[in-house]
Amino acid sequence: MPAFSDTRAAAHAPPARVGDPTGERLRGTGSAHGKAILIGEHAVVYGRAAIALPVHSLRVRAEAVRTAQAGLLVSDLYTGAFDAAPARLAPTVTAARATLEALGTREQIELRVHSGIPPERGVGSSAAVAAAVVAAVAAAFGIVFDDGRHHELVQVAERAAHGTPSGLDARAVRAAGPIWFRSGETAALPVGATFAFVIADSGVPGRTGEAVRGVRALREADPARVDHVIASLGVLAEAARGQLSDGDVPGLGAAMDEAHDLLDGLGLGDPALQRLVRAARGAGASGAKLTGGGRGGCVLVLAPDAADAPRLACALTGAGAAAVWTSTLEATA
Ligand code: PMV
């Protein structure tokens, strides 16, 4: 499989280091999109494979303007000095500072961030914000980082957000299509048919760091059981790769159902998630599972056919979803 490479987040950036007589390049922009984990969350932390999907309808945009003043953040959540930013924005400030450091500049920036991705819902908010910020800050200095360098800077911010991120989110928020991820290695996945997904927000904040620590504690207490579950999730991810490329919607749905039950058995469920999963299955979904860290956040639902997605979205809203989004994978050539 070819190694995946996508420079989408830096798409607005100017070419690297060219002269700038007009001062135009004192400003840079960047963007990234949301993601949903199809299969393999948590197991990926233990070296198993995972698959993530882009959610292009969820997007973050960042703009950086070079300044001689102190760093300033302007966002929907906070406007003020970097130094006084609330703890929940630490990853955003970390992304900006790590990028300035990587650029080797003593200049500061005024950073504007507009995010349409709800935070703490397992749909990639923190990684997408970091990816957009890294691209915007670099672009303000006329630089486009290569993929590896960009990824590493996003991971610095992700560590501020979650402690020990696998790197899956950081890759998925910049990928144009579904990605296969294992032990830091990423590859674009072929898709054999249209797969229509609905993502439903339970309204309950996900707690990724806490959930990851919970699985670790469970594994220390009962390594045989937890390792068996992790291995089973890895097997499901392998199967899902084949189901995606074969266009096997029922097979993938069954794998998602199985993954949900395994994750639920690791204590990652929540009554609100369970209600949405039940509603989706009751409304004829091919499969439904929690997505991301769990203990809140979102569910990912696979429609039997793209035409069924609006009906499933209605059923999920009726069952109490705070928001729903769709993500459709088209068959690759
Ligand atoms: O909740 P999210 O979207 O940040 O996803 C976390 C995925 C985990 O596998 C639980 C952790 C990780 O670092 O991959």
Side-chain angles (χ1 to χ4, degrees):
M1 239 178 288
F4 186 82
S5 168
D6 187 315
T7 52
R8 199 169 251 268
H12 303 291
R17 282 216 191 277
V18 284
D20 182 25
T22 62
E24 267 293 293
R25 293 192 181 88
L26 296 178
R27 175 183 167 279
T29 59
S31 72
H33 52 70
K35 63 89 212 186
I37 299 176
L38 173 60
I39 209 144
E41 52 271 268
H42 289 284
V44 72
V45 172
Y46 298 93
R48 302 287 170 171
I51 297 173
L53 316 171
V55 183
H56 292 291
S57 54
L58 295 174
R59 190 156 275 280
V60 177
R61 290 191 165 78
E63 181 190 62
V65 179
R66 286 157 66 173
T67 172
Q69 315 291 313
L72 181 76
L73 176 60
V74 179
S75 76
D76 305 330
L77 301 171
Y78 165 82
T79 293
F82 279 2
D83 284 340
R88 63 188 296 202
L89 293 175
T92 306
V93 172
T94 300
R97 286 189 165 143
T99 308
L100 289 170
E101 198 182 318
L103 292 166
T105 179
R106 296 174 78 88
E107 275 187 67
Q108 280 298 324
I109 45 152
E110 183 179 317
L111 180 64
R112 288 172 192 275
V113 178
H114 176 65
S115 177
I117 308 184
E120 299 178 322
R121 293 298 194 278
V123 283
S125 164
S126 62
V129 168
V133 166
V134 169
V137 175
F141 289 83
I143 295 292
V144 179
F145 288 124
D146 66 36
D147 218 41
R149 189 84 166 120
H150 188 288
H151 176 73
E152 209 18 73
L153 290 166
V154 175
Q155 280 293 84
V156 173
E158 282 288 87
R159 282 191 276 277
H162 301 304
T164 54
S166 63
L168 171 61
D169 282 20
R171 292 289 187 195
V173 298
R174 303 179 68 222
I179 57 165
W180 173 259
F181 181 93
R182 185 169 189 175
S183 302
E185 293 297 314
T186 311
L189 287 178
V191 179
T194 300
F195 287 84
F197 295 92
V198 180
I199 299 146
D201 180 1
S202 69
V204 178
R207 288 164 285 160
T208 301
E210 204 180 290
V212 169
R213 285 192 293 279
V215 171
R216 191 173 299 129
L218 205 62
R219 186 165 179 257
E220 272 157 28
D222 190 352
R225 180 173 88 81
V226 174
D227 283 345
H228 181 70
V229 173
I230 288 168
S232 302
L233 287 165
V235 170
L236 287 174
E238 299 278 349
R241 176 167 63 176
Q243 287 148 351
L244 268 183
S245 72
D246 294 348
D248 179 1
V249 175
L252 183 62
M256 289 170 65
D257 285 344
E258 214 179 308
H260 176 77
D261 294 344
L262 289 169
L263 292 167
D264 196 42
L266 291 179
L268 299 165
D270 173 89
L273 291 174
Q274 211 53 35
R275 194 162 51 244
L276 294 178
V277 165
R278 261 202 307 273
R281 290 175 183 167
S286 296
K289 65 181 279 291
L290 69 85
T291 182
R295 295 192 174 181
C298 291
V299 298
L300 178 68
V301 173
L302 177 60
D305 185 274
D308 297 310
R311 187 176 51 76
L312 287 170
C314 273
L316 288 157
T317 303
V324 292
W325 306 279
T326 53
S327 175
T328 302
L329 301 180
E330 301 296 347
T332 49

